[in-house]
Amino acid sequence: MTIKISGTGRALPEHKVTNQKLQELVETSDEWIRERTGIGERRISTGDTVVSLAAEACRKALEMAGKAASEVELILVATCSPEYLLPCCACQVQSIIGAVHGAAFDLNAACAGFLFGLDTAYAYLQSGLYKNALIVGSEVLSKLVDWKDRSTCVLFGDGAGAVFVETVPEELICDNGRKAGIEAILQGADGAKGGILSCQERPVQNAFLTEQEMPDSYVHMNGQEVYKFAVKKVPACIQAALEKAGLTVEDIDLFLLHQANERIIRSVAKRLKADLSKFPMNLQRVGNMSSATIPVLLDELNRDGRIQKGDRLVLSGFGAGLTYGATVLVWG
Ligand code: UT7
């Protein structure tokens, strides 16, 4: 049996916002943003929602996989920016695409959410409970950032990426002799550091409490602390996942990292002693889309023919929580 990704898709809002445009909103510069982050522009919703973007990405992933929506058995939407708390985004996506037989729920592991979703789906498929799943990372972070806060509003973008994974009964051995499928998963969290990247929803409030002030509901971040966490944790987590799989850095063809900051990605490559050319990036064009970064990058590479059967990939991310994870897989 093999569990393989047989379709990918992405959806981005049309509206591009350049660094120059942001200079009109906050005291910043194209030079500062590029130097500190690598980001040049991002897509910002002018009406797209987490659900509409997720549904479009799912349709494209299904089309590539040659599957009908009615065949989908599980839909997982990873998001930290839903428009509704109830119903969850996955149920809304199920309805829009017509995946009437699919179980559906959301999960939130912030920027590592897509990875955690992929791992969750893998565990379901491995157990035999379901034979296929759609996993989506979808975010409209533009509604959670304070557009007067230059330390956060320049970083994020909106978008969605999806994959369709399925179980095939036979073992898929690629031309290079590698067996397709997921080889290792490592997930972790450091909840004690949760305060360094947060966004509060409603506090406890009810008819039995005296009225309190509502907190603001913007993203607050200690960028330097998140940076320090990422440059240490991501390489350590990748190394641990590789060890689990009995592999080394040299065995990996591509590292698809969470697209938060070019400096973080360069630092991870350096710490792993891996060639930077193995770390594709798209953050220059789309910014940090949280849970959507990895599946959007995966779809870009897949559609551009830059991932071949038998390639061994590491997907790795980190995010609010703080959460982190790495997944090693052979593309089939
Ligand atoms: O998905 C996970 C999401 N989070 C992350 O990945 C965040 C990881 N951290 C980072 O990427 C970096 O810490 C940032 C890009 C957020 C910030 O870069 P930094 O090199 O750590 O800058 P800093 O926070 O130390 O700020 C340096 C200076 C400060 O001014 P002073 O105090 O030195 O006068 C900031 O006020 O840069 C100032 N600054 C800005 N200046 C122009 C902060 N934001 C901006 C801005 N434009 N947009």
Side-chain angles (χ1 to χ4, degrees):
M1 176 184 101
T2 304
I3 294 169
K4 65 171 225 159
I5 295 175
S6 46
T8 60
R10 69 180 186 275
L12 299 176
E14 289 283 312
H15 186 58
K16 283 183 190 172
V17 175
T18 60
N19 292 344
Q20 285 79 6
K21 188 75 193 162
L22 292 179
Q23 287 172 211
E24 297 169 18
L25 298 180
V26 287
E27 202 182 324
T28 190
S29 65
D30 179 49
E31 195 193 0
W32 191 97
I33 302 170
R34 279 185 199 273
E35 243 175 44
R36 305 281 176 136
T37 71
I39 299 166
E41 60 185 40
R42 67 288 292 143
R43 301 297 185 90
I44 297 296
S45 168
T46 51
D48 308 278
T49 64
V50 167
V51 167
S52 68
L53 292 168
E56 190 183 335
C58 283
R59 280 202 195 101
K60 289 178 178 164
L62 284 176
E63 193 185 333
M64 184 185 286
K67 296 286 173 194
S70 57
E71 296 175 75
V72 174
E73 298 189 0
L74 175 66
I75 303 166
L76 297 180
V77 176
T79 187
C80 57
S81 53
E83 281 80 32
Y84 286 84
L85 291 178
L86 305 169
C88 71
C89 298
C91 286
Q92 296 177 69
V93 170
Q94 188 234 33
S95 163
I96 293 173
I97 66 173
V100 289
H101 303 300
F105 62 91
D106 291 359
L107 58 86
N108 177 356
C111 304
F114 169 79
L115 269 190
F116 281 39
L118 182 64
D119 299 344
T120 304
Y122 174 77
Y124 273 121
L125 268 55
Q126 186 77 11
S127 76
L129 189 60
Y130 299 117
K131 288 193 291 300
N132 66 51
L134 271 171
I135 303 106
V136 200
S138 184
E139 306 285 2
V140 179
L141 291 165
S142 59
K143 61 176 184 267
L144 299 184
V145 296
D146 179 354
W147 288 94
K148 293 188 194 78
D149 175 10
R150 68 178 182 172
S151 71
T152 52
C153 75
V154 302
L155 304 175
F156 299 104
D158 301 333
V163 299
F164 179 78
V165 289
E166 61 180 327
T167 306
V168 289
E170 69 277 10
E171 282 204 340
L172 289 182
I173 307 296
C174 305
D175 288 349
N176 59 7
R178 291 176 180 162
K179 182 181 171 308
I182 290 184
E183 297 183 304
I185 287 172
L186 200 132
Q187 299 178 318
D190 188 349
K193 291 202 173 79
I196 66 178
L197 177 47
S198 65
C199 181
Q200 191 171 353
E201 238 281 320
R202 295 181 206 186
V204 176
Q205 216 172 27
N206 57 46
F208 307 98
L209 289 171
T210 50
E211 259 185 41
Q212 322 160 16
E213 226 174 89
M214 287 294 273
D216 78 50
S217 53
Y218 293 127
V219 170
H220 292 278
M221 180 175 72
N222 181 333
Q224 287 188 357
E225 287 302 314
V226 178
Y227 190 99
K228 279 191 242 163
F229 174 84
V231 296
K232 260 196 178 165
K233 206 52 153 182
V234 173
C237 169
I238 291 174
Q239 286 285 15
L242 290 176
E243 261 168 47
K244 245 178 145 179
L247 299 167
T248 65
V249 167
E250 286 72 42
D251 296 313
I252 304 305
D253 298 298
L254 286 176
F255 295 84
L256 275 64
L257 302 194
H258 170 46
Q259 303 285 296
N261 183 317
E262 188 175 330
R263 285 191 296 148
I264 293 177
I265 295 172
R266 285 176 178 272
S267 165
V268 172
K270 201 168 163 193
R271 281 177 194 236
L272 290 174
K273 298 190 177 64
D275 197 310
L276 191 64
S277 64
K278 288 185 174 182
F279 292 73
M281 291 182 230
N282 65 2
L283 58 85
Q284 295 83 357
R285 289 176 280 112
V286 291
N288 178 351
M289 300 177 293
S290 188
S291 70
T293 61
I294 293 174
V296 167
L297 182 63
L298 186 65
D299 183 55
E300 282 185 14
L301 297 170
N302 189 23
R303 285 177 192 267
D304 290 351
R306 287 175 62 197
I307 304 178
Q308 302 300 325
K309 282 190 178 161
D311 281 351
R312 185 177 271 125
L313 315 181
V314 164
L315 315 183
S316 181
F318 65 94
L322 298 176
T323 56
Y324 56 91
T327 300
V328 186
L329 62 92
V330 173
W331 197 255

